[in-house]
Amino acid sequence: MAARLTDKQKKKIIADYVECGSYNETARMNGVSRNTVKNIIMEDKENATKCQQKKEQNTQDMLAYMDSRKAKAQEIIDKCLESLPGKLKGANATQTATVLGIISDKFLGKCPGNASVTIINDIPKVLANMNAMADIVKHPVPNRDISDYE
C-alpha cells in the first residue's frame, strides 16, 4: 500500500497544479500518479480556487509593478540600443545575427490577431520592419517608438 500524503504535500500538489494546469506535469513534479493529483484537486476544490485567485492577484500585482517601472526599463533599453552600433563593429556574423534575432523577436513579436508570421506572405512587411530596426540600431534616438515604423 502506498504511503499517505501529508497536508503539506497535498497543498504543494494543489499549488503546482494551479501553476502548470496539468495533472500529468504536476504528478511528475511530485512523484505521484496522475490519478492522485486529479483526486486531490477534485476533493479540495476550495483550496484550488483560492490558489488560482492568489495566482491571479500575484499576476496583477506584478503587472502593476512592471508598469510602474516602465520608464526606467525604457531608459535601460535605450542605453543598450545606443551602445549596440559600436559593439557590433567588432562582432562576428554569429553575434550580429544573434543581436538582430533578439531585437526582431522583441520588436516584431506576433502579427495582429496573434497569428504567427507566415514567411512567404509576409516577407515584404518583415523586411520593412527589419529595415526599421536596423535604422534604430544604427541611429538610436531617445523616445523612438517602433509603432512609427509599422
Side-chain angles (χ1 to χ4, degrees), residues 56-71:
E56 290 169 7
Q57 181 60 49
N58 289 346
T59 300
Q60 292 305 314
D61 291 347
M62 183 53 74
L63 289 173
Y65 172 76
M66 290 170 64
D67 193 49
S68 75
R69 305 297 293 160
K70 188 166 130 182

Side-chain angles (χ1 to χ4, degrees), residues 5 29 87 102:
L5 295 172
M29 291 167 54
K87 296 197 182 292
I102 291 169

Side-chain angles (χ1 to χ4, degrees), residues 76-92:
I76 292 168
I77 291 168
D78 285 341
K79 287 180 182 178
C80 290
L81 287 174
E82 288 168 11
S83 73
L84 274 177
K87 296 197 182 292
L88 286 174
K89 287 180 184 171
N92 63 35

Side-chain angles (χ1 to χ4, degrees), residues 24-35:
N24 290 331
E25 179 65 15
T26 304
R28 187 190 62 71
M29 291 167 54
N30 290 279
V32 297
S33 73
R34 179 189 185 284
N35 284 337

Side-chain angles (χ1 to χ4, degrees), residues 17-57:
Y17 175 75
V18 168
E19 187 64 34
C20 72
S22 164
Y23 293 133
N24 290 331
E25 179 65 15
T26 304
R28 187 190 62 71
M29 291 167 54
N30 290 279
V32 297
S33 73
R34 179 189 185 284
N35 284 337
T36 298
V37 173
K38 186 175 180 181
N39 290 337
I40 290 170
I41 299 303
M42 293 301 170
E43 75 185 27
D44 198 351
K45 288 195 180 229
E46 184 179 337
N47 271 337
T49 301
K50 286 179 185 176
C51 285
Q52 183 64 36
Q53 289 169 345
K54 182 64 175 167
K55 179 182 175 187
E56 290 169 7
Q57 181 60 49

Side-chain angles (χ1 to χ4, degrees), residues 85-137:
K87 296 197 182 292
L88 286 174
K89 287 180 184 171
N92 63 35
T94 302
Q95 293 167 327
T96 303
T98 301
V99 169
L100 182 59
I102 291 169
I103 292 173
S104 298
D105 287 347
K106 300 306 174 197
F107 277 109
L108 291 176
K110 295 274 190 175
C111 290
N114 286 332
S116 296
V117 174
T118 303
I119 300 299
I120 294 173
N121 296 333
D122 294 337
I123 287 177
K125 181 177 180 177
V126 170
L127 289 176
N129 284 334
M130 290 179 85
N131 287 334
M133 286 183 294
D135 181 55
I136 290 171
V137 172

